[in-house]
Amino acid sequence: MTGRINNKVALITGAGSGIGKSCSVLFAKHGAKLSLADVKNDSMIELSKKINSEGGESFISNADVTSNDECKSLVEKTYEKYGRLDILINSAGVTPRYAPKDWDFEKKWDWVIDVNLKGSMMMSYHAIKKMKLNNGGSIINLASIIGLVGYAQGLSDGFNPYPHSKGGIVQMTRDMAVAFGKSGIRVNSLCPGFTYTPLTKTLTDDSDEHQRLISLHPMGRLGEVEEIAKAALFLASDDASFITGINMPVDGGYTAQ
Ligand SMILES: NC(=O)c1ccc[n+]([C@@H]2O[C@H](COP(=O)([O-])OP(=O)(O)OC[C@H]3O[C@@H](n4cnc5c(N)ncnc54)[C@H](O)[C@@H]3O)[C@@H](O)[C@H]2O)c1
């Protein structure tokens, strides 16, 4: 296979669903060797089978990014299998909308920060050690428009950990980009607008809320996962060889207003 990231080794968390899954499909088409990870196994099994049956190369791991040990062993397994690590996509993420109803605000806050922010940090911590061995790499974090501006009215009471976690990712991206620039490791984030995935399904299933969200995007629609994956492919590829430390909106103009 030939492509824009031919023979590069990419580790993708949250690979079983939504944006992570779409990145997996696109990256395989562009020649990457894939290490797919998610806390849930079911949909990754089919995904990996399909990629491999179409001439790609992938394997799956059940891993929880809130566990430092699991992050470490996931990175080590990937490195042992392919002998290098070039790309990390931190797409594992959660929203407090899906937290157990009996959790109080503090427990929800800790959970979302743990998965979204700390998980991305720990995955990067272990990946960077391996990337240094091959003189560089590209890390792509999934931040959000909500890391750049406040949440749309009605979606946060001010204590919602989701925007807090995404704002943390935006600053972590800049900090790591500066720290590891000389090691040839580029660190960037994507800031998607509202995109159709299981994460946003409870919002888009409500037709009034769906229309309201559409009206907040100047392009008059929400995003598709493939549009986010194409931006990730650009940042992962050598086409973005002088780009580091950016938080790139892919948002139909949401943050331009
Ligand atoms: N969909 C959107 O509108 C949108 C917008 C901006 C940013 N994002 C971000 O993009 C990323 C992907 O979101 P998505 O919409 O594809 O969501 P999704 O729910 O479709 O996929 C997220 C995946 O992460 C996995 N995951 C959750 N907790 C995990 C853990 N502890 N360890 C490993 N895997 C775990 C889930 O099992 C799931 O497969 C998230 O960080 C999300 O916050 C999404």
Side-chain angles (χ1 to χ4, degrees), residues 17-19 38-39 63-65 91-93 143 162 166 192-193 195 197-200:
S17 176
I19 293 167
D38 203 294
V39 75
D64 182 341
V65 299
S91 193
Y162 190 80
K166 297 305 181 180
T195 304
T197 73
L199 193 85
T200 51

Side-chain angles (χ1 to χ4, degrees), residues 14-148:
S17 176
I19 293 167
K21 187 173 180 181
S22 186
C23 286
S24 306
V25 171
L26 187 66
F27 280 33
K29 277 191 190 139
H30 281 271
K33 297 177 183 171
L34 299 176
S35 168
L36 309 176
D38 203 294
V39 75
K40 293 189 209 135
N41 243 352
D42 30 356
S43 71
M44 274 196 310
I45 297 172
E46 275 308 299
L47 173 67
S48 180
K49 262 193 207 157
K50 189 167 187 300
I51 287 171
N52 296 350
S53 73
E54 290 170 358
E57 204 173 338
S58 69
F59 75 101
I60 65 171
S61 305
N62 198 216
D64 182 341
V65 299
T66 65
S67 156
N68 187 34
D69 287 347
E70 291 186 29
C71 291
K72 184 169 187 272
S73 83
L74 177 59
V75 168
E76 281 175 356
K77 225 162 60 166
T78 306
Y79 194 81
E80 274 160 31
K81 164 100 176 144
Y82 294 125
R84 53 188 295 119
L85 178 61
D86 302 292
I87 298 161
L88 169 66
I89 308 281
N90 283 314
S91 193
V94 291
T95 164
R97 285 192 300 278
Y98 294 148
K101 294 285 171 249
D102 59 341
W103 284 8
D104 69 5
F105 85 102
E106 186 186 6
K107 202 162 177 191
K108 285 185 194 168
W109 202 89
D110 285 344
W111 176 56
V112 174
I113 298 290
D114 253 14
V115 178
N116 294 5
L117 179 56
K118 191 175 170 194
S120 301
M121 181 277 293
M122 288 195 298
M123 284 302 302
S124 302
Y125 177 86
H126 296 292
I128 283 166
K129 290 187 179 177
K130 301 298 180 200
M131 287 174 174
K132 280 183 171 171
L133 301 176
N134 42 275
N135 300 318
S138 172
I139 295 177
I140 294 146
N141 298 312
L142 267 298
S144 169
I145 46 173
I146 307 311
L148 301 173

Side-chain angles (χ1 to χ4, degrees), residues 168-183:
I169 290 175
V170 163
Q171 187 61 355
M172 182 180 78
T173 297
R174 296 189 186 110
D175 192 49
M176 287 189 186
V178 173
F180 301 110
K182 290 225 164 62
S183 304

